[in-house]
Amino acid sequence: GENVEQHPSTLSVQEGDSAVIKCTYSDSASNYFPWYKQELGKRPQLIIDIRSNVGEKKDQRIAVTLNKTAKHFSLHITETQPEDSAVYFCAASFNDYKLSFGAGTTVTVRA
Amino acid sequence: EAGVAQSPRYKIIEKRQSVAFWCNPISGHATLYWYQQILGQGPKLLIQFQNNGVVDDSQLPKDRFSAERLKGVDSTLKIQPAKLEDSAVYLCASSFSTGGGQETQYFGPGTRLLVL
């Protein structure tokens, strides 16, 4: 089955700086890569996703890049703000079957 | 649109007892998922339904866990008997997909289970 590894497990950044989270996956058939944000005690919420037919996608301060050859994808958050503090999960699947999640990255934005 | 609903939100039971969780997906969503999220880890898929049929249950501990989705709408997940290691948040999610798509999964608030 699919195995998703996520790094780092914790990330502390100064407000206004950028944050980068990296994930690798094992199944070359995977073609859907969403990122979820989970605030303490709340449900995971989709913040951005990318399909395998594109290499990069951007939505305001958030961007995701995908390297299918190397089987890794990354989340980039620019101009971080205190409300960006949360746990971020990457995931991978073939279509929407068996979405496999990484272990999560706890991001703390220091004021 | 209304989100995914789950109940109860919290449950405390003793080991060897039984427990059941309920999920109501977003109206019109064909696919429903149950995940187990242990503290400090990412969600792990337990079972995936498409309408009222099981798509994947390979990670469901079938000796103690069962799930059903009657009429292709609501779903229940049961644990019988519970073990200490079942303590986790049980998340339900749904997506519009009828199969083969790359649809967004929307999560419910989860049920936090503590087994003593």
Side-chain angles (χ1 to χ4, degrees):
Chain A
E2 176 66 273
N3 182 44
V4 179
E5 295 192 355
Q6 183 172 347
H7 300 280
S9 57
T10 60
L11 181 59
S12 180
V13 296
Q14 190 70 36
E15 183 176 358
D17 287 351
S18 295
V20 180
I21 303 170
K22 299 180 180 180
C23 290
T24 60
Y25 61 97
S26 60
D27 188 349
S28 57
S30 291
N31 60 0
Y32 176 57
F33 308 92
W35 285 88
Y36 282 84
K37 175 182 180 183
Q38 188 174 29
E39 296 178 26
L40 189 64
K42 297 190 176 181
R43 71 190 75 189
Q45 292 196 304
L46 181 75
I47 55 172
I48 194 167
D49 57 16
I50 191 167
R51 272 66 171 174
S52 60
N53 58 342
V54 296
E56 184 174 357
K57 183 176 179 180
K58 190 173 182 180
D59 182 4
Q60 299 183 333
R61 298 186 296 106
I62 294 173
V64 58
T65 58
L66 171 65
N67 183 326
K68 286 218 72 180
T69 302
K71 291 191 285 187
H72 67 70
F73 56 112
S74 300
L75 178 72
H76 305 253
I77 307 173
T78 59
E79 301 173 17
T80 53
Q81 300 170 4
E83 53 264 36
D84 295 329
S85 295
V87 180
Y88 292 80
F89 293 98
C90 63
S93 74
F94 172 70
N95 291 336
D96 56 351
Y97 294 129
K98 297 188 70 172
L99 195 62
S100 296
F101 283 82
T105 297
T106 301
V107 174
T108 303
V109 180
R110 307 186 307 272
Chain B
E1 62 183 3
V4 177
Q6 289 186 248
S7 67
R9 293 296 310 278
Y10 305 93
K11 191 73 177 179
I12 301 175
I13 62 172
E14 294 187 350
K15 60 183 179 183
R16 291 187 290 273
Q17 285 187 324
S18 302
V19 65
F21 312 127
W22 173 82
C23 173
N24 180 238
I26 293 173
S27 178
H29 279 195
T31 307
L32 185 147
Y33 315 78
W34 282 102
Y35 290 88
Q36 180 192 57
Q37 186 176 23
I38 293 173
L39 187 64
Q41 298 181 19
K44 182 184 84 171
L45 180 69
L46 294 175
I47 189 167
Q48 178 175 341
F49 292 95
Q50 186 172 305
N51 296 309
N52 61 350
V54 175
V55 173
D56 187 278
D57 63 357
S58 59
Q59 298 191 96
L60 186 74
K62 299 179 186 65
D63 58 333
R64 298 184 300 106
F65 286 64
S66 64
E68 60 182 8
R69 190 184 184 197
L70 300 176
K71 301 180 182 178
V73 182
D74 293 3
S75 177
T76 55
L77 176 70
K78 297 179 182 178
I79 308 175
Q80 180 179 1
K83 293 185 175 181
L84 296 177
E85 57 261 37
D86 298 333
S87 295
V89 176
Y90 290 85
L91 294 163
C92 179
S94 70
S95 68
F96 180 76
S97 172
T98 55
Q102 295 171 354
E103 301 287 342
T104 299
Q105 293 186 28
Y106 296 89
F107 283 84
T111 296
R112 188 174 299 274
L113 174 67
L114 178 60
V115 182
L116 302 176

